[in-house]
Amino acid sequence: MSHARPLRTIALTAVGLIIWSICFVVLYAALSLGCAAGLHEWSLFGVRALNVILGCLWLVHFGLLGSAFLVLWRTQRQAQAASERFLVRLTCMLIVVGSAATLWVGFPVLLLPACA
Amino acid sequence: MSERRTSGGAPPDGRGNDGASRTLSAVARHRRLNRVWHNPSGLRGASAVNHTVVGKRFMATALFFFFVGGVLAMLIRAQLATPDHSLFGHELYNQFFTMHGTVMMFLFAIPFIEGLAMYLLPKMLGSRDLAYPRLSSFGYWCYLFGGLMLLASLLAGVAPDSGWFFYTPLSSKHYTPGINADFWLLGVTFVEISAICAAVEFVVSILTVRTAGMSLSRMPLFAWYILVTAFMMLFGFPPLILGSILLELERAFDWPFFDAARGGDPILWQHLFWLFGHPEVYIIFLPGAAIVSTLVPVFAGRPIVGYTLTVASVISIGFISFGLWVHHMYTVGIPHLALVFFSAASMLVAVPTAVQFFVWIATLWQGRPRLELPMLYLFGFLVVFVFGGLTGVMVALVPFDWQVHDTHFVVAHMHYVLVGGLVFPMLAGIYYWFPLVAGRRTFPGLGAIAFWLIFIGFNVTFLIMHFTGLMGMPRRIYAYPTGLGWDVPNLVSSIGGFVMSMGLLLVLIDLVLSWSAGRPSRRDPWNAGTLEWALPTPPPFYNFASQPAVSDRNPLWLDSSLPARIAAGQGCLPGDNAVQQETLGVEMISGRPNKLVVLPRPSWLPLWSGMAMAGFFLLVLAKLYWLASIGLAAALCVFLRWGWENGARRDPGDMRDGLPPHHVADDAPGPLGVIFTLVADATFFASLLFGYAYVWLIAPGPTPPSLAEPNLAALLAAGALGAAWAAVILGERALVATRQVNFDLFMLASAGAGIGAVAATAAAFPHMPSPTSHAYAAVVAMLIAYVIFHVVVGVVLSAFAFARRRSGFVSVYRRIDVRVCRIWWIYTAATGLVTLTAVFAVPGVVPA
């Protein structure tokens, strides 16, 4: 067996936190670039455009987390060995952590003005 | 090197031995293995690469630097003990506090952790050595020479003096014109090479070099912590290495990365530094927590409660700690919403940290705790670190941080976290593993007195320092006037500091006395369950006479006869017929043996390469750049020689009955090490792209000049990179199809395409302004240099693979060189194409 498969399995254990990391970087980068481009001065239906964009980006990551959980749910029955079941449990825990972290870090985009 | 398939004719799982080899007595087996694993002594000992030797060297050197850092701390406290005190002037004081932070963070904390992990990991994982012993040794020499470079600057009175996080513009040429800052930038970068080497070593060793049956779910928690720490090092240190290179380029050649007047930004340095600096705190804490999670079950007399939960919390800390870097930059003027992201992440990281505390408390609650000396230090850790964690949550809150930023409150908080998170667990670990390392017990009374001196002294020093900070005393001032209410707290802090120092001195005396006159220790004096205690004390260089097959996380608790059975050769690879150093390699997840990792004998190559690198850094420091390039070329020659020694010139014979040697295994450690090195490299590249985007879009100052219009040369460069990539892949296919002439041609083609890519990249910027004119021009020049450097290395690797095939080292079975070459070219082509797109295509779409 080459490195690729076990390495991918081990890396995907942290998929929940990887998605959180991407969400964190995307939100911070979009905020910085949006402020630099002056997007905070635009509004959509009375709501600041940049906040809407950030909110949408935030929600996309919940979609990714949900998808990761569904994939895990479908594949967990194939786990036979104790080490594989351990990785499934670990992956599940880390998806829960990633979801909570994404919720906690991102919800201020709904409350605060973007570039103040 | 090895053409043998296996040692002693081991069956496919590497277990057991044939009847003939079992006839050896334990003593005869020990003698045989000792001969094979012999390490030279005296001056020739510098060639030793064994993990036990190198690990001890790391720890001893780190403790020496701990002493140096401690002396500097006492000088600082002596200066601040009374108002208007002038033991020394501000210039010397600036050097002392800068070097105190630098020595403690870069020359003590991380290297000690590296040494401890190097020493313990193979013993805990049931293996005989790490995956790359020579790499560990090379890392040690980089650390030693880099550390000596920094120490020499202190002795010469030209030590760095801009604070340990080295903010620009204070550290820029204009405000720090001397050589002081260059010592820091070059010395720290040199030492960081060592950390990257160690991180690659740990990741690959933990994933692939364990004993039979040790699946990921049975791995000691210590290994999980070190695995996560090593990944954090791979992602955390490259931004600092990049920042140091950029700042040195600015100082040496006036490339204005951080000069706001020419389109740069000092805040960029802060981003790069803290991208490293905050994870660094957890890189230091997690190994401390690893010690706690190892010792608590032993002294509670039961397995840890919540193994999987602990692993999940450690991984969570590893990720979330990278989302905190801006919490050191709350006062620089960042939008409130961004501050909230980082404030939220800063509070969030307390949750998985707290989970571990509850795990430890639950383990103690469920067990029958014994209050032995290491446990005393662990209680010190629990108290001190919880306090540091709580003040950490306080400074995570933006309004509070604005009040205490750059005051002694932050100094106190940082010391509670770092001393609590590392020094107390480290001392617990030293007392716990001392019988294993030295074969003797320490004097418990002396250790207990030392603990109380350290614990009381530490709290007297730093608890009151919180109030000194709240009363407004800024950090880094070399004197203060009386009448501000700071006199008494500073005096108390200084007294506490000296009490703590006496405690640490007592620990040193205890260890020195015990090493020579301590009571001999029996094997496993604490009734521990992990494999290192199955070894004789002190352990032999080969660790295990035979590698045990494990079926539990605490094998010694499951089977108390295990040490005797290991010595009797009843495990895997009994080594009765051993003629070379070898250890089991396993599948990453299941722990099933699938190869024999053949390990190198003592070698001078790590020392020569370390010396060549030292020559390079010293010549750069002396600004003799052409001579420095000779140092770099010398290092390259040694590395090529090093690579040439690997592998075998013949394919192994029939492998039906045994495990293949690693150089014919599909998952050999070599390519895996290259992959993880490139992970660090990719982080460096991503940080550079971040710098590019920052200078282009965010930095204040003049608008970036238009540098590059898409042109034919850029297209040719992209095409040449793709061609080099394709040629290597086709070359490997030709090799598999046993068309060796075609392989040779494809390797030469990839080298030729690489040379073409360099020429085309250079021609793609016909009107490139000087990198000194604008930060954007400088960062683009840096990107181009990055790509060209990687292409040149790729050309060397292609030529190397060609030469190795011609010399018989490469065959259809032995393809490590080709796989390394392929991985490198894929990475180089990908980063080259990203760079060309970023520089030529994106500016046309997104205006600055």
Side-chain angles (χ1 to χ4, degrees), chain B residues 581-751:
Chain B
Q581 296 181 176
E582 54 194 17
T583 189
L584 287 178
V586 297
E587 285 177 6
M588 291 183 202
I589 296 172
S590 69
R592 198 177 72 82
N594 63 355
K595 59 190 165 292
L596 284 179
V597 179
V598 182
L599 296 162
R601 297 284 305 141
S603 166
W604 290 101
L605 289 170
L607 177 59
W608 300 147
S609 46
M611 288 173 77
M613 292 300 289
F616 168 73
F617 279 100
L618 285 171
L619 289 165
V620 171
L621 184 67
K623 309 213 180 301
L624 301 169
Y625 299 110
W626 287 110
L627 281 176
S629 61
I630 295 174
L632 206 56
L636 178 66
C637 291
V638 182
F639 289 135
L640 289 175
R641 171 72 197 156
W642 184 330
W644 196 265
E645 285 191 358
N646 292 331
R649 285 180 193 262
R650 280 190 300 162
D651 290 329
D654 180 10
M655 288 185 288
R656 280 174 304 177
D657 296 331
L659 299 169
H662 73 264
H663 45 259
V664 297
D666 282 340
D667 58 349
L672 195 57
V674 174
I675 289 172
F676 287 114
T677 306
L678 290 178
V679 166
D681 197 356
T683 312
F684 182 96
F685 180 65
S687 305
L688 185 54
L689 279 182
F690 167 74
Y692 170 77
Y694 192 94
V695 166
W696 172 35
L697 295 170
I698 307 288
T703 309
S706 176
L707 295 187
E709 297 293 328
N711 56 44
L712 182 63
L715 278 177
L716 285 175
L721 286 170
W725 174 352
V728 173
I729 288 174
L730 291 172
E732 188 171 7
R733 285 188 188 167
L735 187 68
V736 173
T738 62
R739 294 196 296 268
Q740 299 187 332
V741 175
N742 289 6
F743 168 81
D744 291 353
L745 290 175
F746 278 123
M747 284 295 113
L748 291 176
S750 70

Side-chain angles (χ1 to χ4, degrees), chain B residues 60 77 146 247 270 357 461 525 547 577 585 680 716 757 794 803 829:
Chain B
R77 284 315 324 164
L247 185 50
Q270 296 193 23
F357 274 81
T461 308
Q547 291 183 251
N577 303 320
L716 285 175

Side-chain angles (χ1 to χ4, degrees), chain B residues 812-823:
Chain B
V812 63
Y813 298 111
R814 293 168 282 120
R815 303 202 306 269
I816 287 181
D817 300 86
V818 188
R819 287 164 60 199
V820 166
C821 194
R822 167 168 49 89
I823 292 165

Side-chain angles (χ1 to χ4, degrees), chain B residues 327-338:
Chain B
H327 95 196
H328 297 267
M329 300 163 59
Y330 283 164
T331 56
V332 302
I334 285 172
H336 288 182
L337 185 54

Side-chain angles (χ1 to χ4, degrees), chain B residues 335-398:
Chain B
H336 288 182
L337 185 54
L339 292 182
V340 172
F341 292 157
F342 290 95
S343 181
S346 302
M347 286 182 265
L348 189 66
V349 78
V351 177
T353 311
V355 166
Q356 288 177 82
F357 274 81
F358 287 116
V359 162
W360 296 327
I361 291 167
T363 305
L364 290 170
W365 191 273
Q366 295 276 312
R368 299 171 69 87
R370 289 176 285 148
L371 186 58
E372 304 216 34
L373 187 57
M375 203 60 196
L376 196 59
Y377 283 89
L378 287 193
F379 279 122
F381 153 78
L382 287 170
V383 172
V384 171
F385 190 80
V386 165
F387 204 95
L390 291 175
T391 53
V393 176
M394 289 165 75
V395 294
L397 300 168
V398 178

Side-chain angles (χ1 to χ4, degrees), chain A residues 1-3 6-7 9-10 14 17-18 20-21 24 27-28 31-33 35-36 51 54 82-84 86-87 89-90 93-94 97 101 104-106 108-109 112-116, chain B residues 207 215-217 224 271 307-309 311-312 315-316 319-320 323 325-326 334-338 340-342 344-345 347-348 588-590 666-668 671-672 675-676 697-698 819:
Chain A
M1 191 192 297
S2 73
H3 289 309
L7 260 188
T9 305
I10 292 168
L17 287 164
I18 291 170
W20 170 79
S21 307
F24 192 85
L27 287 182
Y28 182 48
L31 174 65
S32 304
L33 297 176
C35 290
N51 284 78
L54 293 173
S83 55
E84 290 170 355
F86 165 76
L87 286 184
R89 273 200 310 276
L90 191 59
M93 280 182 187
L94 293 177
V97 172
W104 174 247
V105 168
V109 302
L112 291 174
C115 304
Chain B
L207 288 180
S215 61
L216 287 183
S217 58
W224 271 110
H271 278 295
Y307 176 92
T308 311
L309 194 63
V311 174
I315 296 173
S316 302
F319 273 86
I320 296 171
W325 83 91
V326 170
I334 285 172
H336 288 182
L337 185 54
V340 172
F341 292 157
F342 290 95
M347 286 182 265
L348 189 66
M588 291 183 202
I589 296 172
S590 69
D666 282 340
D667 58 349
L672 195 57
I675 289 172
F676 287 114
L697 295 170
I698 307 288
R819 287 164 60 199

